Amino acid sequence: MSVLKEKIKGVYEGLCAKNWSPLMGGILLAFFVVLLETWYRPWGIVGGLRNWADWFFYGLGLYEDEPPHPLWFSSSILDIGLVWGAFISAALAREFGIRVPPKIEFIKAIVAGILMGIGSALAMGCNVGGFYMAVNNLAANGLVMMIGLIFGVILGVKYLYWELEHFPSAGGFEISFRKINPILGVIALIGLLLATKAYFGSEADDGATLGGCLILTAAIGYTMHRSRFCMVNALREPFMTGEAVMGKALAISLILSAIGIAILKYNEFRPEMAYVTPTFGIGALLGGFIFGAAMVVAGGCGSGSLWRVAEGQVKLVVVVIFFALTNSLVRHLFAEYEVIESGYLGKAIFMPEYLGYAGTLFLIALAVIVWYIVIDWNEDTNKLVLEM
Amino acid sequence: MADIKVAPDDVKADMTIDCKGLSCPMPLLKTKKAIQKLQSGQILEVLGTDPGSRNDIPGWCERAGHEYLGEKQDQGFIRFYVKKG
């Protein structure tokens, strides 16, 4: 093989076949979420899922108001882009296949999905909108949700240990598409480029805006799948195996994206209250706890569930369906009884109003550094690892 | 795929667990539990379909003091081999 061919093969393998490190995933994720917020809006997951579920209930006649069209609604486009990008990554790396789990996993998927829907309704966002994007949008509720998530994750790990003792499972299988994976990947890539071009070329006012959202979230999906960047892993592994690689990558991603978005808000490029939700209180704490426990049982958080759907994990398809349906119903009930407006979930606290921008970034950095040091120490000592 | 370590042809397992169809973290948890039943030097075979196991199992072996012997691709699943440390 000529040197040139070898170099081209090396680039292809580096971009499309080999896993990227979690750190690279975290840095790229921070880069793309800052770009997305610069382009139009903060990254999110639940809003899109809820939009799809709203259509389901609207179709059943349960809801009176027609939801926005999924192809012309930014929240929905963010999820479509993520799944699309992750599918391209999975297919090009020959990792796409329909993976059918043992029966018990379906029951877990339904229960976990329902709890994720409830938790994300209480926190007004999942680990993405309620935690990662809340923290980097300088919202106090994000830090509170992090506390809830950590304690929820501990409960989730304890449950999984218990389950292993009492309900051993086996009998899953995979329908493999290894041979045609690269073809599917190329078709999906061409489709993505054509869809983006169609949005940019459309006469609709927000066509270009949505086109940008689609391609940027596809980049997020591609990045997350290639690096297997997973916030469940980041929060769970310190308590399950002691591993801290993903936890450290998440910490670095958080601080990088917070700096980027702080610049956008400080310069009034984006509204200061964007992604600052009235959940600083019981909403973020309890929502985080429920969501944290459920995402461990599900095997995927908001974003992690979607990119695993894209690689063909049937369990996560079930999780996402029940997550979306439940979130839609609970948020519908909240609207009916004005739960959010009445302040039952907590207050909306934009931290720079109290601490200034520098003070807020300092606080976030402090929280992230404490987390980093604790999981690094735990990686050597295993003090936080729960005994099986 | 990750940088794949191929298991030796003559590797023989002392115990096999079925993790096919399971997604993260169940394959790793089942591996962690099963290896407790083996003696040092014995080999555990893990049958799995989750691409994440290619990172999770070798990474855990390194931390837990076990030797990751590699994997073999089979029809619709992967065989991972771990030698208890």
Side-chain angles (χ1 to χ4, degrees):
Chain A
M1 191 185 288
S2 72
V3 175
L4 182 63
K5 273 188 180 172
E6 263 183 43
K7 294 291 177 193
I8 292 170
K9 191 183 171 206
V11 169
Y12 176 80
E13 285 189 345
L15 284 175
C16 307
K18 290 182 178 173
N19 281 142
W20 299 347
S21 72
L23 181 60
M24 184 169 171
I27 293 169
L28 283 175
L29 178 64
F31 174 67
F32 286 124
V33 299
V34 173
L35 281 188
L36 180 66
E37 193 147 342
T38 310
W39 178 256
Y40 180 53
R41 56 159 290 174
W43 178 43
I45 299 290
V46 181
L49 296 182
R50 190 167 57 246
N51 172 253
W52 303 346
D54 285 350
W55 271 102
F56 176 76
F57 290 121
Y58 176 72
L60 289 180
L62 208 62
Y63 295 171
E64 286 176 11
D65 301 327
E66 186 178 306
H69 193 289
L71 297 179
W72 293 100
F73 182 51
S74 68
S75 296
S76 167
I77 295 296
L78 301 188
D79 289 349
I80 293 171
L82 192 145
V83 173
W84 207 327
F87 176 76
I88 292 169
S89 168
L92 290 179
R94 294 182 191 269
E95 288 178 346
F96 173 74
I98 304 296
R99 297 177 174 95
V100 182
K103 282 175 192 165
I104 186 176
E105 294 297 313
F106 283 98
I107 298 166
K108 285 164 65 183
I110 292 168
V111 175
I114 290 170
L115 290 173
M116 287 165 78
I118 295 169
S120 59
L122 285 166
M124 291 185 72
C126 61
N127 60 297
V128 173
F131 161 54
Y132 179 81
M133 291 304 299
V135 171
N136 63 25
N137 272 272
L138 318 179
N141 52 287
L143 292 174
V144 176
M145 189 177 185
M146 183 179 178
I147 296 166
L149 282 171
I150 289 171
F151 284 99
V153 161
I154 292 170
L155 179 67
V157 172
K158 284 187 173 182
Y159 164 76
L160 289 183
Y161 285 1
W162 178 84
E163 181 200 302
L164 275 180
E165 291 295 330
H166 296 85
F167 299 101
S169 62
F173 61 93
E174 176 183 330
I175 302 167
S176 178
F177 296 94
R178 271 182 69 82
K179 286 183 182 168
I180 60 164
N181 260 213
I183 299 166
L184 295 175
V186 170
I187 292 170
L189 178 61
I190 293 168
L192 174 69
L193 297 174
L194 290 175
T196 306
K197 186 172 182 287
Y199 273 117
F200 273 90
S202 90
E203 290 176 1
D205 288 344
D206 52 357
T209 302
L210 293 177
C213 289
L214 180 69
I215 198 81
L216 283 169
T217 44
I220 289 173
Y222 192 92
T223 297
M224 294 191 93
H225 184 267
R226 204 85 309 276
S227 59
R228 302 196 78 80
F229 191 87
C230 177
M231 294 191 209
V232 182
N233 184 309
L235 298 172
R236 180 193 65 214
E237 290 306 302
F239 304 104
M240 207 178 87
T241 63
E243 172 96 43
V245 177
M246 196 67 77
K248 290 175 182 175
L250 174 62
I252 290 164
S253 186
L254 257 179
I255 192 67
L256 288 177
S257 55
I259 293 167
I261 293 169
I263 291 170
L264 296 180
K265 290 195 168 183
Y266 182 80
N267 287 298
E268 297 178 357
F269 200 73
R270 281 287 165 256
E272 288 190 322
M273 293 307 282
Y275 264 42
V276 183
T277 54
T279 55
F280 179 71
I282 194 71
L285 194 63
L286 184 60
F289 180 76
I290 294 171
F291 193 89
M295 72 181 184
V296 171
V297 179
C301 51
S303 48
S305 294
L306 282 186
W307 68 249
R308 286 186 174 87
V309 164
E311 72 174 13
Q313 304 277 9
V314 174
K315 178 185 176 186
L316 277 306
V317 174
V318 178
V319 167
V320 167
I321 290 169
F322 282 87
F323 174 14
L325 292 174
T326 310
N327 183 276
S328 169
L329 283 174
V330 177
R331 285 293 295 269
H332 199 74
L333 283 173
F334 281 0
E336 196 79 13
Y337 294 99
E338 297 186 344
V339 170
I340 297 167
E341 295 78 2
S342 305
Y344 293 131
L345 301 180
K347 290 181 177 175
I349 303 282
F350 179 58
M351 289 189 281
E353 277 183 14
Y354 298 85
L355 305 170
Y357 275 87
T360 301
L361 285 178
F362 179 77
L363 178 67
I364 292 171
L366 187 68
V368 162
I369 288 167
V370 167
W371 164 255
Y372 191 102
I373 291 171
V374 168
I375 60 174
D376 194 34
W377 160 79
N378 180 57
E379 199 168 33
D380 289 341
T381 63
N382 283 338
K383 293 276 187 195
L384 300 177
V385 176
L386 300 167
E387 287 297 322
M388 188 173 252
Chain B
M1 69 194 85
D3 284 326
I4 291 172
K5 181 178 178 183
V6 179
D9 286 338
D10 59 349
V11 65
K12 278 190 178 170
D14 296 288
M15 182 195 247
T16 299
I17 55 169
D18 179 6
C19 298
K20 295 195 290 287
L22 292 172
S23 56
C24 178
M26 297 312 289
L28 181 58
L29 270 182
K30 288 184 77 167
T31 303
K32 207 177 155 186
K33 181 170 160 45
I35 208 142
Q36 291 174 347
K37 296 174 185 165
L38 295 183
Q39 302 292 323
S40 180
Q42 288 189 304
I43 294 171
L44 175 66
E45 181 185 51
V46 183
L47 314 182
T49 55
D50 182 16
S53 295
R54 285 187 162 135
N55 297 337
D56 295 344
I57 294 178
W60 170 74
C61 285
E62 203 179 320
R63 281 191 46 71
H66 308 303
E67 187 185 351
Y68 177 64
L69 299 176
E71 65 168 70
K72 287 181 186 175
Q73 184 72 47
D74 208 315
Q75 291 285 34
F77 66 94
I78 309 164
R79 297 173 185 271
F80 299 96
Y81 294 92
V82 177
K83 189 175 183 181
K84 183 165 180 175

